[in-house]
Every structure is written in C-alpha cells, then in structure tokens.
Amino acid sequence: MFQAVGKNNQHLLSTSNVPSRFEIAIYTALHCYAMFQQGSDAFVFGRIPYKKEDQLNENEQVEEKGVSLFTALKQIKDNDDKIKTALDRRVTALLATTNAASAINSINHLVNILKGKNLVKKVDFAQLAADLYSFQYSSQQARAVALKWGRDYYWNVYQLETTDKD
C-alpha cells in the first residue's frame, strides 16, 4: 500500500486541499503507528505473514510477525477481564458504522487502549491503511471491511489443530 504511489499512480494523490481516500488511509495508519510507537524502543510494525515459512523462496527472510489491529485487540480482551466489556462496546460501535470519520476516530481510541495495555508487540499498520482505503469507497465496502475486522476480533483466529487417532 505504501509503495502504491509511483509514476502511474499519481491519481491517488489529491490535487486540491481536500485529501484523497488514499491520503486519508495512509495518514490515519501512520498516525496510529506513531501513537503506538511513541515511547517504545522496539519497532512496533510487523507484517501479517501470508506465506507459510516452508513456502518462502530462498532469498526471502522471515521477519518478526505482526498481527492485525483487531487481532491485537482480541489478545488484550482475552487477557484482561476488566476491560473486556468496555472494549467489546467500543469495537461493536465501530463495526456498526459505515462513516469513515467515525471509524477513524474509533480506531484512534482503540490504538490508545492497545498501547496502554502493552501486551501486543507488533501490529500490521500497512494492512490497516489498506482496510481504511477500502472502507471509504461505499457502504458495501465498509460492511465488508467491518466483517473482516469483526472476524479478527470475535472469531478464534488461532489455527485449529486436528489430531489423528488412527
């Protein structure tokens, strides 16, 4: 997402004083990253792994893995019963909106909560930018992104292990 602005993609940038959807998404993700990084010596950005380690090419290296923002929120919800109800209310309100400005405001608050708990080490803010970019196109796109976020937050995202008893 961050590498998308090249010679052929200048249309993503605004030519007026009104920011484009792309600029809003990038600015919001960078702002969230900056809030989360502030005061931390460790690098807090990590990509969500899309390839299994055994599928990597020989010149690709495995970085320290990150999680989506909503998977990170799920981790603090699962580890802190005191905040569970309040966090559920905030996330539910965010998932119910199709208004980008409201969603961005809610995400900023959620990142502050996440930072305060200090449980999650790496978050994929580039994925957040891509999600926010899609969220702004239509109510239907916003619902699809909210569904993705809801799955990350409410659904058990850990791999299910099957055991053979043969």
Side-chain angles (χ1 to χ4, degrees):
M1 188 69 177
F2 294 110
Q3 299 168 350
V5 181
K7 265 186 166 177
N8 298 329
N9 294 316
Q10 292 296 318
H11 66 280
L12 296 173
L13 300 177
S14 175
T15 56
S16 68
N17 289 336
V18 178
S20 69
R21 292 178 181 123
F22 180 78
E23 290 169 325
I24 291 169
I26 295 297
Y27 173 81
T28 302
L30 284 173
H31 182 254
C32 290
Y33 164 74
M35 285 190 305
F36 198 61
Q37 180 68 56
Q38 188 176 22
S40 176
D41 292 333
F43 190 52
V44 298
F45 172 77
R47 293 292 300 188
I48 298 170
Y50 292 104
K51 292 183 179 180
K52 293 183 179 177
E53 289 181 30
D54 58 332
Q55 294 176 333
L56 294 175
N57 296 333
E58 59 188 56
N59 58 351
E60 288 181 297
Q61 58 186 26
V62 178
E63 298 176 13
E64 201 169 337
K65 297 173 187 170
V67 296
S68 75
L69 175 63
F70 290 87
T71 300
L73 290 167
K74 176 185 176 36
Q75 290 173 2
I76 65 168
K77 175 185 79 157
D78 291 347
N79 288 309
D80 190 345
D81 288 335
K82 292 181 221 171
I83 197 170
K84 183 181 186 327
T85 304
L87 194 58
D88 281 348
R89 264 187 268 135
R90 283 185 181 265
V91 170
T92 301
L94 168 61
L95 297 178
T97 190
T98 57
N99 180 290
S102 177
I104 288 168
N105 187 43
S106 295
I107 287 169
N108 284 326
H109 289 291
L110 290 169
V111 169
N112 277 327
I113 292 169
L114 185 63
K115 179 179 178 53
K117 291 299 172 183
N118 203 24
L119 290 174
V120 178
K121 303 298 181 210
K122 303 229 180 223
V123 175
D124 191 344
F125 291 101
Q127 183 60 53
L128 177 61
D131 290 346
L132 286 170
Y133 182 64
S134 295
F135 189 95
Q136 298 173 71
Y137 269 94
S138 66
S139 293
Q140 186 177 4
Q141 281 292 105
R143 300 303 334 130
V145 171
L147 177 63
K148 178 182 175 216
W149 290 344
R151 285 178 179 152
D152 285 351
Y153 183 75
Y154 289 108
W155 191 45
N156 184 2
V157 295
Y158 304 105
Q159 290 181 349
L160 298 175
E161 293 183 19
T162 57
T163 55
D164 293 359
K165 297 183 178 183
D166 295 313

